[in-house]
């Protein structure tokens, strides 16, 4: 009777054991299946080196700043600035943990409880408020995997998250995350987002701003406070409440920001970059590429400190524009336009029948004004193309005394530079392109730092920088290097008499600015003062090309130099920067120091780069001082008299190239050196009567006045080795004891080259004969217009007529 219950219990035991065995088998099979799935999908990530992401080099912003730290430009493909974990405030970290992964410091890459909580929270809220991915998973997703949403990718994400947690510290993972994520409006990483939304570094934001930032990565487009402030406020409140819930801030502290505004910067939508020194931005970019390579450029995250003085840069540009406007009005560029006879109109249109290209300068026939034409514009026909030409108020070609139709009358001809090509619904756009361009450079004598560099009328990033790249003939502004080479031989002094007379050099007969007029025996100081061409050629012929080349190279001129007598006339093509380098050495008393536009390059984690600044005494100081003294006479008595407006000692030289194609002035004080150039990009005559002293010198004066500002004048101090003697003006010999004061002057000499003979009493009137006849023509700038100069002589043996090169 007891066997039945025993049999029932045995049967139940067997069934239980069978079920347990079946469950166990299922669990084993399930575990095996899971393991198989992880193994199968994990095969594709075996080669991924998780620890390699420590070497994180993402695209980031390189900032170019002025000498006093003002941002003047940025270089980037993604706007990001890396910030280290140690520079991230605790409340910023806590805000992101509250928003994204509150258990970040407790899990090992996967937060299973968090996944359940997120699901329940989202169901309760009726919207996606919490994600199931941990910060570690998001780092894996952003750095190591593709963005696709597949089962395979999710398995790989889990596996890599565990590996990442073992390879990197929590702080390293968080730093990667906060620097990589996107915050909308082209901003990547918390530092750039903070600068954009709040106008300050993430180091300086408050709890409310941190909460706002932390709310953005979920949906940076939808949650942007610029697009939807109300939604942004709701997200910020949620993050603040989460921070309270986890004990990271007190309720009262959170309430202050919950009740308060979003506290955005008023400059939110624009990068704070000061315009006006783009030449330095381009120069900095070139230096970065040369030093670090093109492939690293957008990942450097550098801060490049340039040498630019923004106030001086602005004043130099203003002076350049005033100089160009004055020249335009003298020559009629963009002004004095008159209706064209009907017979000529067809020729104008025919010249414009070429394919339009941005930057091309073409003749345009002005059309009658239509009702739709903007008030500050007019329309021209360039060939068969209509081009809308803007002349904004206050710009170079705007004449406030005339209406647009009066200044640009119908059927008149205007030279137009193409700015943009036509589209389906817009005509081509252009600007007046009649007048010449200009460039100016200013550097500090003591450091060689370029304080101002204006590369053109309206220089923009990537434009042709005429200050550094325009190779043009410097004309007589090169003569000081020929005179310096002559002084260096110690066979010539500032008092040496040379005969101003015509000579023939292998069938080449140079003449002076005013043909066939010569002044006879004159001292070298007088010859340089009045830029007498025949004397410069005679000096070069006597000392040889190599001597002149050696002196110019020692001064820092790197451009190719001619090896014929026309070298004395400045026919070698040099850039304004080249000329600045040579004059800087003269201003430094012969101590050669390369001009620089970069003070320092700083890259996080790397030693700072600074330019090598090793001045060398390349020229003797006594020779350079005497040359400088001779160049002060150019200012006091010669072709650069206008420079006396500077109100302090200065030395310089005007230059006007062959056929008046280029106008130059280069000069210096003991503090600053500057070079100004004026000319067309495609060389042609600037205009009748335009010379270095007339077209370029006013630009130089404006820049130097700004550079010197209220600083007291400084004299040029002679070195101890220089000797001073009282000489006879006429002969350059020692003055006789009974000489009249007007017949003598004091002159500087290199020790051992002083005259030892005394002049005989003059039989002829003392003083320089036929003053102010030769040179650049600058001394005639204020005189009545001269008759048209005769046609230039044909070059012989490759040498131009001196008459073609008056300055």
């Amino acid at each position: 009777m007891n066997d039945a219950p025993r049999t029932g219990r045995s049967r139940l035991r067997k069934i239980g054991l069978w079920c347990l065995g079946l469950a166990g088998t299922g669990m084993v099979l399930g575990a095996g299946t899971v393991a198989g799935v992880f193994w199968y999908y994990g095969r594709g990530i075996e080669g991924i080196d998780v620890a390699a992401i420590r070497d994180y080099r993402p695209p980031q912003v390189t900032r170019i700043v002025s000498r006093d730290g003002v941002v003047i430009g940025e270089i980037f493909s993604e706007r990001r600035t890396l910030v280290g974990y140690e520079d991230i405030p605790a409340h910023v970290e806590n805000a992101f943990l509250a928003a994204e992964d509150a258990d970040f410091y407790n899990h090992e890459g996967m937060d299973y409880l968090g996944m359940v909580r997120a699901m329940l929270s989202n169901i309760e809220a009726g919207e996606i408020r919490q994600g199931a991915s941990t910060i570690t998973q998001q780092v894996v997703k952003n750095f190591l995997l593709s963005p696709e949403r597949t089962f395979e990718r999710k398995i790989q994400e889990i596996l890599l998250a565990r590996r990442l947690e073992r390879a990197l510290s929590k702080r390293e993972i968080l730093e990667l995350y906060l620097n990589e994520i996107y915050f909308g409006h082209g901003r990547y990483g918390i530092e750039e987002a903070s600068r954009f939304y709040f106008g300050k570094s993430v180091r300086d934001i408050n709890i409310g701003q941190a909460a706002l930032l932390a709310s953005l990565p979920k949906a940076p487009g939808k949650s942007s406070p610029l697009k939807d402030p109300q939604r942004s406020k709701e997200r910020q409140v949620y993050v603040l409440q989460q921070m309270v819930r986890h004990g990271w801030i007190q309720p009262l502290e959170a309430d202050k920001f919950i009740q308060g505004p979003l506290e955005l910067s008023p400059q939110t939508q624009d990068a704070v970059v000061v315009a006006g020194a783009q030449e330095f931005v381009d120069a900095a970019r070139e230096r970065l590429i040369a030093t670090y390579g093109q492939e690293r450029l957008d990942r450097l995250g550098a801060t490049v400190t340039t040498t630019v003085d923004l106030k001086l840069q602005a004043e130099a540009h203003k002076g350049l524009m005033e100089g160009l406007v004055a020249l335009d009005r003298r020559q009629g560029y963009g002004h004095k336009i008159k209706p064209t006879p009907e017979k000529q109109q067809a020729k104008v249109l025919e010249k414009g029948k070429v394919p339009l290209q941005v930057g091309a300068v073409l003749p345009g026939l002005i059309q009658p004004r239509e009702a739709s034409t903007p008030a500050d514009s007019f329309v021209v026909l360039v060939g068969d193309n209509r081009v809308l030409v803007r002349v904004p108020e206050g710009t170079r070609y705007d004449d406030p005394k005339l209406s647009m139709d009066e200044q640009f009358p119908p059927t008149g001809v205007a030279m137009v530079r193409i700015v943009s090509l036509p589209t389906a619904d817009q005509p081509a756009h252009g600007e007046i392109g009649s007048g010449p361009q200009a460039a100016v450079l200013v550097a500090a004598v003591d450091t060689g730092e370029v304080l101002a560099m204006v590369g053109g009328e309206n220089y923009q990033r990537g434009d042709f920088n005429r200050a550094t790249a325009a190779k043009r003939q410097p004309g007589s502004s090169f003569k000081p290097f020929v005179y310096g080479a002559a002084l260096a031989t110690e066979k010539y002094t500032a008092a040496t008499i040379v005969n101003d007379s015509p000579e023939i050099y292998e069938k080449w007969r140079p003449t002076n600015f005013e043909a066939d007029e010569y002044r006879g025996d004159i001292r070298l100081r007088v010859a340089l003062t009045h830029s007498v061409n025949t004397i410069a050629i005679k000096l070069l012929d006597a000392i040889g090309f190599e001597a002149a080349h050696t002196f110019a190279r020692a001064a820092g001129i790197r451009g190719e130099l001619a090896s014929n007598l026309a070298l004395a006339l400045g026919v070698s093509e040099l850039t304004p920067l080249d000329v600045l380098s040579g004059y800087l050495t003269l201003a430094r008393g012969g101590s050669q120091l390369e001009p620089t536009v970069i003070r320092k390059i700083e890259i996080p984690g790397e030693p700072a780069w600074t330019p090598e600044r090793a001045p060398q005494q390349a020229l003797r100081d006594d020779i350079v001082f005497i040359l400088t003294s001779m160049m002060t006479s150019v200012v006091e008595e010669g072709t650069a008299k206008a420079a006396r407006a500077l109100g302090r000692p200065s030395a310089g030289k005007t230059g006007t190239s062959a056929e008046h194609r280029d106008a130059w002035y280069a000069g210096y004080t003991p503090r600053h050196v500057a070079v100004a150039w004026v000319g067309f990009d495609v060389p042609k005559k600037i205009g009748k009567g335009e010379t270095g002293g007339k077209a370029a010198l006013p630009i130089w004066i404006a820049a130097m006045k700004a550079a010197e500002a209220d600083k007291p004048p400084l004299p040029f101090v002679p070195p101890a080795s220089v000797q001073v003697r009282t000489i006879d003006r006429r002969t350059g010999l020692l003055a006789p004891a009974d000489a009249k004061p007007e017949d003598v002057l004091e002159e500087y000499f290199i020790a051992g080259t002083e005259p030892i003979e005394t002049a005989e009493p003059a039989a002829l009137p003392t003083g320089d004969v036929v003053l102010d006849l030769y040179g650049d023509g600058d001394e005639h700038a204020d005189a009545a217009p001269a008759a048209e100069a005769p046609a230039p002589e044909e070059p012989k043996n490759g040498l131009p007529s001196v008459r073609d090169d008056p300055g």
Side-chain angles (χ1 to χ4, degrees):
M1 295 179 63
N2 295 328
D3 290 341
R6 262 195 231 106
T7 302
R9 287 196 294 271
S10 176
R11 206 176 273 151
L12 288 172
R13 187 180 297 113
K14 287 180 180 179
I15 293 171
L17 290 172
W18 181 82
C19 290
L20 286 172
L22 186 63
T25 303
M27 290 176 65
V28 171
L29 289 174
T33 301
V34 171
V37 168
F38 273 78
W39 172 82
Y40 179 80
Y41 288 119
R43 292 178 306 162
I45 60 173
E46 290 176 356
I48 295 178
D49 183 4
V50 171
I53 67 173
R54 273 202 183 98
D55 187 25
Y56 179 51
R57 294 290 184 272
Q60 54 183 312
V61 177
T62 282
R63 287 182 172 80
I64 317 300
V65 303
S66 67
R67 63 190 300 110
D68 54 355
V70 176
V71 179
I72 60 174
E74 294 178 327
I75 301 170
F76 61 90
S77 58
E78 289 183 5
R79 191 183 287 276
R80 176 190 284 106
T81 297
L82 295 184
V83 58
Y85 177 84
E86 64 278 3
D87 293 321
I88 300 171
H91 62 270
V92 174
E93 176 181 350
N94 291 336
F96 278 87
L97 295 181
E100 297 289 334
D101 189 357
D103 292 326
F104 174 68
Y105 282 100
N106 299 320
H107 62 65
E108 294 182 353
M110 291 295 297
D111 185 4
Y112 302 103
L113 292 176
M115 294 171 65
V116 175
R117 282 199 306 268
M119 180 180 67
L120 295 175
S121 176
N122 293 337
I123 292 172
E124 181 182 355
E127 62 174 335
I128 303 297
R129 277 197 158 187
Q130 294 186 24
S133 291
T134 64
I135 284 176
T136 308
Q137 287 177 270
Q138 292 183 60
V139 169
V140 167
K141 183 166 50 181
N142 290 334
F143 286 87
L144 302 175
L145 295 174
S146 66
E148 61 182 336
R149 294 174 176 244
T150 64
F151 181 69
E152 177 183 3
R153 196 203 62 80
K154 194 67 179 177
I155 295 296
Q156 292 175 341
E157 181 185 300
I158 293 170
L159 291 171
L160 288 173
R162 296 295 300 273
R163 284 167 55 183
L164 185 64
E165 288 274 353
R166 290 193 295 268
L168 273 65
S169 70
K170 289 286 187 178
R171 290 184 174 186
E172 288 176 318
I173 294 170
L174 190 63
E175 180 180 307
L176 289 170
Y177 172 74
L178 293 177
N179 278 297
E180 178 67 16
I181 49 180
Y182 181 61
F183 287 87
H185 301 283
R187 267 60 183 183
Y188 293 82
I190 55 173
E191 179 66 12
E192 275 301 313
S194 180
R195 292 185 185 192
F196 177 71
Y197 290 110
F198 312 123
K200 53 188 173 183
S201 170
V202 71
R203 301 172 183 86
D204 303 318
I205 64 175
N206 60 38
I207 292 172
Q209 292 168 328
L212 178 58
L213 277 190
S215 73
L216 295 176
K218 285 291 185 187
K222 294 180 180 179
S223 299
S224 167
L226 303 184
K227 294 180 178 180
D228 193 342
Q230 182 176 350
R231 180 182 176 88
S232 294
K233 186 63 183 178
E234 291 171 357
R235 290 287 302 162
Q236 180 200 42
V237 169
Y238 167 75
V239 174
L240 288 167
Q241 290 171 340
Q242 289 296 107
M243 293 178 75
V244 171
R245 177 186 169 195
H246 292 287
W248 288 322
I249 57 173
Q250 296 299 314
L252 286 177
E253 194 172 15
D255 286 343
K256 179 176 67 173
F257 296 105
I258 289 172
Q259 301 302 322
L262 290 176
E263 297 184 271
L264 299 174
S265 166
Q267 296 179 332
T268 298
Q269 300 188 47
D270 299 311
V272 183
V273 175
V274 175
Q278 299 308 295
E279 296 91 340
F280 287 85
V281 178
D282 281 343
R285 185 177 187 277
E286 291 175 10
R287 169 49 60 189
L288 290 171
I289 292 173
T291 305
Y292 302 99
Q294 176 74 54
E295 66 281 356
R296 286 193 65 192
L297 182 62
D298 70 341
R299 298 176 183 270
L300 288 172
T303 298
V304 183
T305 304
T306 66
T307 58
V308 65
D309 179 323
L310 288 176
K311 183 178 179 182
L312 177 55
Q313 176 81 1
E315 289 298 317
H317 181 264
K318 178 183 176 184
L320 179 144
M321 291 301 298
E322 289 174 349
L324 288 178
V325 168
L327 190 155
D328 291 338
R329 295 184 185 281
R330 288 196 300 269
Q331 300 298 329
Y333 296 125
H335 301 271
K336 305 177 183 178
I337 296 175
K338 297 179 180 179
T340 305
E342 189 172 349
K343 293 181 180 179
Q344 301 296 323
Q345 294 179 25
K347 293 182 179 180
V348 174
L349 294 175
E350 190 64 31
K351 288 183 178 180
K353 288 184 178 179
V354 296
L356 291 187
Q357 293 182 339
V358 173
V361 179
L362 299 167
L365 191 67
I366 301 173
Q367 301 299 293
R369 177 169 294 277
E370 298 175 354
S372 60
T373 305
D376 65 349
S377 306
F378 62 94
V379 174
V380 298
L381 268 184
V382 176
D384 298 324
N385 296 285
R386 289 176 64 84
V387 180
L388 182 68
V389 182
R390 289 197 65 219
V391 188
E393 184 178 351
T395 56
R396 177 176 176 180
Y397 295 104
D398 174 48
D399 190 336
K401 298 179 181 178
L402 299 174
S403 68
M404 191 63 61
D405 286 345
E406 289 172 329
Q407 189 175 352
F408 303 102
T411 73
V413 177
M415 297 301 295
V416 175
R417 180 180 293 104
I418 304 301
V419 174
S420 66
L421 300 179
T423 62
D425 55 353
Q426 289 286 335
H429 285 70
E431 61 186 11
I432 301 295
S434 298
Q437 276 287 351
V440 62
L441 289 152
V442 183
V445 170
D446 58 345
T447 64
E449 292 183 343
V450 177
L451 305 177
M453 173 171 55
V454 183
E457 169 194 352
N458 187 27
Y459 187 91
Q460 302 297 320
R461 287 276 295 277
D463 282 355
F464 179 63
N465 188 346
R466 298 162 186 86
T468 60
K471 294 184 177 181
R472 307 305 289 268
Q473 294 183 2
S476 289
S477 63
F478 186 79
K479 284 179 181 174
F481 302 104
V482 176
Y483 277 76
L487 293 174
T489 67
E490 297 194 12
K491 296 178 181 178
Y492 296 89
T493 72
T496 297
I497 297 294
V498 180
N499 187 259
D500 175 22
S501 61
E503 297 284 349
I504 296 178
Y505 304 91
E506 297 181 2
K507 299 182 181 180
W508 180 48
R509 183 179 181 272
T511 61
N512 281 317
F513 181 67
E514 295 190 6
D516 298 319
E517 293 190 26
Y518 305 93
R519 62 175 72 197
D521 290 342
I522 56 174
R523 287 174 285 113
L524 286 191
R525 179 181 288 271
V526 176
L528 183 61
T529 297
H530 299 291
S531 201
V532 180
N533 293 324
T534 57
I535 301 297
I537 293 170
K538 286 183 178 182
L539 281 180
L540 182 59
D541 187 44
I543 65 174
F545 311 132
E546 287 303 320
H549 288 180
T550 299
F551 191 91
R553 295 288 183 228
I557 289 180
R558 301 290 176 254
E560 186 176 348
L561 298 174
S563 293
N564 56 49
L565 291 178
L567 173 69
L569 307 181
V571 299
S572 304
E573 293 187 339
L574 304 175
T575 66
L577 182 60
D578 230 346
V579 176
L580 180 83
S581 182
Y583 274 70
L584 174 61
T585 301
L586 301 183
R588 290 174 52 82
S591 170
Q592 201 273 324
L593 186 63
E594 290 290 332
T596 182
V597 296
I598 307 294
R599 301 188 100 185
K600 184 166 55 174
I601 300 175
E602 298 169 285
I603 298 175
E606 297 187 21
W609 179 93
T610 55
E612 295 182 7
R613 312 297 290 150
Q616 296 181 346
Q617 194 65 36
L619 298 170
R620 284 169 47 186
D621 59 353
D622 52 358
I623 294 170
V624 172
F625 173 79
I626 292 171
L627 180 59
T628 294
S629 173
M630 294 169 70
M631 293 165 68
T632 63
S633 293
V634 177
V635 174
E636 294 302 318
E637 307 172 37
T639 59
K641 289 178 183 177
R644 291 182 293 184
L646 198 59
R648 60 197 59 224
S650 72
K653 187 69 189 73
T654 49
T656 310
S657 70
E659 298 180 355
H660 297 252
R661 291 180 175 182
D662 302 278
W664 296 76
Y665 187 74
Y668 50 92
T669 68
R671 286 194 184 91
H672 298 99
V673 57
V675 174
W677 165 84
V678 177
F680 285 96
D681 287 337
V682 178
K684 64 179 180 179
K685 190 172 182 178
I686 301 171
K688 182 178 178 181
E690 296 297 339
T691 61
K694 196 169 188 177
L697 181 52
I699 295 173
W700 183 92
I701 292 170
M704 285 293 277
K705 278 186 174 180
E708 295 281 313
D710 298 326
K711 299 179 180 69
L714 290 177
F716 293 106
V717 179
S721 59
V722 169
Q723 305 295 307
V724 180
R725 295 291 184 271
T726 302
I727 65 168
D728 174 59
R729 286 179 178 270
R730 182 174 54 87
T731 64
L733 301 176
L734 295 174
D738 57 350
K740 298 177 181 178
E742 63 267 24
D743 294 338
V744 301
L745 57 83
E746 288 191 338
E747 185 58 273
Y748 294 105
F749 296 90
I750 299 169
T753 67
E754 314 94 312
I756 55 175
E757 296 181 38
T758 301
E760 296 292 332
L764 298 173
T766 59
D768 297 317
V769 182
V770 199
L771 289 176
D772 299 336
L773 283 181
Y774 310 108
D776 302 44
D778 294 317
E779 61 269 34
H780 307 288
D782 298 325
E788 183 71 21
E793 299 175 7
E794 289 295 318
K796 299 170 183 177
N797 297 327
L799 300 178
S801 166
V802 182
R803 196 180 308 159
D804 296 341
D805 178 32

